[in-house]
Amino acid sequence: MHIAPFDNQNKPIVDVDDATVPLNYFNIVKLKKGQAFEYAVPRYETCIVPATGTIDINVEGFKADGIGERVEDVWDGEPEGVYVPTAAKAEIVCTSDEAEIFVAGALYDKVLDAFAVRSDELDKVQYGSDDTKTHRKIKHILGTKYHDKVGRLLVSELFTVGEGGWSGFPSHKHDTDRLPLETRHDETYNFRFKPNNGSGVQMLQREDGKAGDAYHIVDGSTICLDSGYHPCAVLPGYQMYYFTILGGLSQRSLVQYFQPSHAHQLETIPGIKDMIAKFK
């Protein structure tokens, strides 16, 4: 499902018990200097990540000040974030001139401890190549290194390297719990383009060998993925970024099932197996 950009007025874009991605939660909060925003999401653990701007965060006594280094856009420095336990009350205060803040969530019933992820604690991977049109980098905010501190939530930022090209290829899905082949993980994306008049396409093929759907994605588009194979591409001459939320049904580790008709291309893309391992 594609949700076109709109002024959500700091209200969830993907709310609890969403019909398409019930394992996910997503909000975009926009604040100006000195403004505050409070929230608590029963049954969902969350992660606060400034897209731009700097914020102070208080999670029921756990304080993390000066979160966020970026000013112009998501390409302007490294991400930072704060993990918010299930149902915990979080207060965000904007300390820069303005801030745009992503709030990512996953359904999880246990209560863990809040913690901050600073820019020097990110788990990064770069893979693919210009020749295969698959060159990209991933910055894991809540990646594998936090398996003992997070319940079901995975949060990452994905960037195409260079201008144009594909992401999420070879085509894969993760809509069925059938270990060791695959796990059920709902997924939500928010896209940005550089320059911001760029655009791309999100494909969604429900069954191998049958025609699927395609969505025209623009700067600010949100995509919710419940099932199917889902590569995406950006127009030549533009860079693409997407904020990624994954929520697992039965475990945090993601096991992707690669589309049989394209799986052989795993052997043609440099570094892709390292990328896959970073989600497990």
Side-chain angles (χ1 to χ4, degrees):
M1 180 178 70
H2 175 236
I3 303 171
F6 71 104
D7 181 5
N8 64 307
Q9 299 182 343
N10 294 350
K11 297 178 181 178
I13 294 171
V14 178
D15 210 342
V16 300
D17 300 320
D18 181 81
T20 303
V21 284
L23 303 179
N24 290 169
Y25 174 91
F26 178 52
N27 195 3
I28 296 178
V29 176
K30 294 181 179 179
L31 302 174
K32 296 195 179 295
K33 190 168 188 176
Q35 290 183 330
F37 179 81
E38 293 183 354
Y39 78 90
V41 188
R43 300 169 34 244
Y44 287 73
E45 59 185 348
T46 58
C47 182
I48 300 168
V49 179
T52 54
T54 304
I55 56 178
D56 292 345
I57 300 171
N58 185 338
V59 184
E60 298 185 355
F62 171 83
K63 295 183 179 181
D65 292 338
I67 295 290
E69 302 177 345
R70 301 182 289 206
V71 177
E72 295 296 328
D73 55 31
V74 293
W75 284 268
D76 183 26
E78 303 289 4
E80 296 189 320
V82 168
Y83 172 79
V84 179
T86 301
K89 180 181 176 181
E91 181 187 49
I92 302 167
V93 178
C94 178
T95 59
S96 54
D97 288 340
E98 56 187 10
E100 181 183 18
I101 304 132
F102 297 137
V103 181
L107 186 66
Y108 188 60
D109 58 356
K110 297 180 182 178
V111 178
L112 304 175
D113 295 324
F115 64 91
V117 180
R118 297 291 183 172
S119 58
D120 60 355
E121 298 171 311
L122 301 170
D123 195 0
K124 302 178 187 178
V125 60
Q126 186 164 330
Y127 78 96
S129 66
D130 295 337
D131 289 342
T132 60
K133 308 297 189 294
T134 59
H135 203 176
R136 68 174 184 164
K137 66 176 67 173
I138 305 175
K139 299 176 181 181
H140 292 282
I141 301 160
L142 293 184
T144 55
K145 66 189 293 184
Y146 296 112
H147 271 333
D148 60 340
K149 300 179 73 172
V150 181
R152 296 284 187 269
L153 180 62
L154 291 158
V155 178
S156 304
E157 296 189 337
L158 294 86
F159 299 77
T160 57
V161 177
E163 298 175 341
W166 286 86
S167 188
F169 188 82
S171 307
H172 62 276
K173 70 182 188 76
H174 37 75
D175 54 33
T176 308
D177 261 338
R178 49 174 188 147
L179 289 168
L181 296 177
E182 183 181 2
T183 55
R184 159 77 185 277
H185 277 72
D186 290 353
E187 189 163 29
T188 297
Y189 302 144
N190 186 264
F191 287 89
R192 303 297 163 97
F193 294 89
K194 187 175 183 179
N196 63 10
N197 64 325
S199 65
V201 61
Q202 173 71 63
M203 295 172 59
L204 182 58
Q205 187 179 13
R206 300 289 185 179
E207 295 182 52
D208 192 16
K210 294 186 178 181
D213 299 315
Y215 304 100
H216 180 208
I217 49 176
V218 297
D219 196 72
S221 284
T222 298
I223 289 284
C224 300
L225 297 167
D226 58 340
S227 66
Y229 304 100
H230 48 272
C232 56
V234 55
L235 293 174
Y238 297 91
Q239 297 179 57
M240 182 171 72
Y241 156 101
Y242 51 114
F243 183 74
T244 302
I245 306 164
L246 283 159
L249 177 65
S250 61
Q251 67 176 43
R252 185 163 184 263
S253 295
L254 172 70
V255 180
Q256 303 164 340
Y257 179 74
F258 286 88
Q259 191 168 10
S261 54
H262 301 301
H264 67 280
Q265 296 209 44
L266 286 168
E267 306 302 325
T268 71
I269 299 174
I272 193 168
K273 292 181 181 179
D274 291 335
M275 180 277 292
I276 295 168
K278 290 290 186 181
F279 282 100
K280 293 184 178 179

